[in-house]
Amino acid sequence: MKLKICVNDHELKGYLHVDPYPLDGGPAFTGSLSDIKVVASGECQEILADKIMDYVAASDVLTCLRHWVSLLSRQGKLVIGGTDLISVAKGVYTQRLNLVDANKLIFGEKVRKNGQISLCDVADILVELGMTITKKRLEDYSFVVEATRD
């Protein structure tokens, strides 16, 4: 099974869609992202959550990541990402990014964002959870980390 965890995004064919605010008018997910019950533990071959960290509160990051890793089968793949807070801070400091745009990146426009984390933080947590990092990408102010479960 493949799982897509997102907020305010389109459905992706071949994935079970977990989205509290779906764009396509599909059913909204009404549970906790740290306890997704529609999938059994160890059942997912892939979890695609490429922008979800923007919507996970800092106090819930470890709980959510631990739960998502538990959903992965052995050699299962996790693709996770969000806005890199360190890059946004550097952009403001170097004046490449004004405060209005920085606030939009950090706090969102349509759906309120509440996650503030960096690529390094996510990668470190995943390694602590026994994952092997296969890719880390940082483009402008967004990051993506790909990891597999050993």
Side-chain angles (χ1 to χ4, degrees):
M1 169 180 285
K2 293 182 178 183
L3 180 65
K4 181 177 180 187
I5 305 170
C6 56
V7 173
N8 203 238
D9 204 357
H10 297 283
E11 288 194 31
L12 189 60
K13 196 172 185 91
Y15 287 78
L16 176 61
H17 197 70
V18 173
D19 188 343
Y21 307 103
L23 281 179
D24 299 329
F29 174 72
T30 56
S32 168
L33 291 176
S34 63
D35 190 21
I36 299 171
K37 296 181 184 200
V38 294
V39 180
S41 182
E43 189 177 327
C44 289
Q45 296 126 357
E46 182 176 330
I47 297 176
L48 177 60
D50 60 339
K51 297 176 188 129
I52 197 65
M53 294 311 295
D54 290 345
Y55 303 96
V56 177
S59 59
D60 296 333
V61 168
L62 184 58
T63 306
C64 284
L65 290 176
R66 184 179 291 129
H67 176 64
W68 299 340
V69 167
S70 77
L71 297 177
L72 288 170
S73 61
R74 295 288 176 212
Q75 301 305 312
K77 177 178 167 182
L78 175 65
V79 179
I80 191 163
T83 302
D84 184 71
L85 190 59
I86 293 172
S87 296
V88 172
K90 284 180 183 177
V92 171
Y93 179 75
T94 60
Q95 299 181 347
R96 285 187 21 227
L97 186 62
N98 65 46
L99 288 177
V100 171
D101 292 335
N103 281 331
K104 287 179 186 175
L105 285 169
I106 295 170
F107 300 111
E109 293 181 78
K110 296 179 185 175
V111 177
R112 178 153 171 76
K113 295 180 180 182
N114 59 357
Q116 291 88 32
I117 198 161
S118 71
L119 176 147
C120 296
D121 293 335
V122 171
D124 289 346
I125 292 169
L126 290 175
V127 168
E128 286 178 24
L129 293 173
M131 301 284 287
T132 300
I133 306 298
T134 55
K135 287 184 187 174
K136 293 191 284 189
R137 292 190 304 268
L138 184 60
E139 186 174 319
D140 292 325
Y141 306 106
S142 297
F143 73 87
V144 174
V145 177
E146 294 183 22
T148 56
R149 184 174 183 193
D150 296 327

